Amino acid sequence: MRWDRQSEALPNANRRSRELAMSEMKLYCGLDISKGRAEAALMDHQGIRLGRSKQFVDTPEGRKELCTWVYHQAVRRGLSEVEFGLEPTGGYEVHFQRDLSDLHWEEIQTRVRQLPTTAVGGQNKTTGQRTRTDSTSAWALAEVLKGHPDLQIPILTADQRAFRSWVRRIEKQMVQAQQTQTELQQVLYEVMPFMVPYVEKDPPQWVLTLLSQYGSAQAMAQARRLPNIPRAPQRKLKQLFGLARQQAARLPQHELQKELLQDLVSQFQQLRQRIEQKQNQLIQWVQQTEDWKKIEHWLSLSNLGTYTAIVVYSELFLGDKHYTEAEQIVKSAGLDVDLFQSGDKGILRLSKRGPKAVRRVLYLAALRQVKTPGVFRDYYDRLVQRKGEKHKVWALVAVMKKLLRVMWKLWNEEKDFDPQHETLWKANHPVVQSQAPQPDPAVQNLCTLPSQQRQQAPLSSAMRRKIHKELKRRQNSEDLSPENNPQTSFEKKEKKTTGRKKALPLKRRSPSPPPLPSVKQSSNQNIPISRREVKGPKESKKMMDL
């Protein structure tokens, strides 16, 4: 009877295992896409490479040929699911992504995953692959698909891609405006040096209008009356025209420099107008989306501008990105610390493996937060007081990280910023002192030995540093008594004092002796130096006592 039950259960078990195996049988297709072509590589669920990689042209016929080739390979091997993996390559992947997402096969399920740009480099490091070609990148993407089933980044829509492109375009225009402003300052140093202080920071509109109208100190000196420029303070205009009359004679006057100055001013004005117009358009576009309600929670932070929030949203939160921890978004922004090592020397620096625009706007936002009293200013002051005045930049980067964590928290919880949240949390939660990390058992056993045995033992320098740190920790916490601890602070002081020679107390010198009588002085002065009596140290001491 027992054998019959087992025989009846065996077909069902085999069927369930067969169904489970069929559900796990997948085909992974890695696509390395470049301009005008794509390299495809196929790998099955067991990690076996199916032939060589194949190249397809980025045309409707080439993309159709890719889908047909993958379908025949999956049907031939009886696979039930196909996964496509590709990297974002600056827009070249859009056509392949659209056609592969529209696939609907009857017996085979399809899935398209967009992998991060660091997928190929990380996979090549793990496998030790040094050369990087289109074929090796396609195989690396297939291996990443198989080894990381949940790794993917959101696929943006056409509107979202256009929005991010406009944000990056504005950032480039800001860099161009900064470069133009620097060139303008260099020209003004030669032509109109008294105008340089008005152009060092963000120059007002009346200054640009004044420079475009005159363009040289000689033109300003020849003016009979002050120009009618809107929003221009009359007192500063009188001062500038007075300086122009004083310095016009000794400043150079060239038509080319005048034209160059006017061209730089007009270019700077055009860039600034374009940037303002596009920023207003982006704000209007974001206000029509569903995420605007979450962005409004960010604006509850004091001294946080709308454009700063839009840049952070477009680079880190666009496309339903989900961060399970705050450190993930810090790492995505490139504010995490990485070790740069060469030989025995190494230094900890920011990785900066993220969008540069996010770090720029966060830096400016942190500067504004530090200058005004509030939670971030108190945090900055505590860090500067702890580390010293030399670590102000380090403290400012810490404020940037804290600001980004707060924005992540407000995004997830969908509520405004509460300045009293930290004080209330500290009042409701008792302060828990951080416990010191427990050392290794080997270090604890070596600490119990006498100091002579520890010195004679063949230990490495790293182990000796650990022992020294543990002994110092025990002395500070007074965990061991002087009887159990073979090397206490008192013995250390004794060794230091006994090893040195005690210095004798310094005798106080007696005051200088009174002058000798005039007779002896005169008689002694008449004697030549060679015939004088040289007194020894004892006799000179007696004379000093007299």
Side-chain angles (χ1 to χ4, degrees), residues 307-329:
Y307 180 71
T308 301
I310 286 177
V311 172
V312 176
Y313 164 72
S314 65
E315 296 291 347
L316 300 180
F317 292 90
L318 189 63
D320 297 332
K321 282 189 177 181
H322 297 287
Y323 301 96
T324 57
E325 296 179 356
E327 295 302 323
Q328 292 180 356
I329 191 171

Side-chain angles (χ1 to χ4, degrees), residues 7 49 54 88 105 157 205 244 266 282 302 349 388 412 437 467:
S7 61
R49 297 185 176 184
K54 195 173 181 180
W105 294 332
T157 61
Q205 184 62 34
S266 62
L282 291 178
S302 60
R349 294 179 180 174
N412 291 337
I467 294 171

Side-chain angles (χ1 to χ4, degrees), residues 490-504:
F490 177 75
E491 292 179 1
K492 281 185 178 180
K493 290 181 181 178
E494 265 194 347
K495 288 181 180 180
K496 288 182 180 179
T497 53
T498 53
R500 298 177 182 175
K501 293 183 179 180
K502 293 184 178 181
L504 296 175

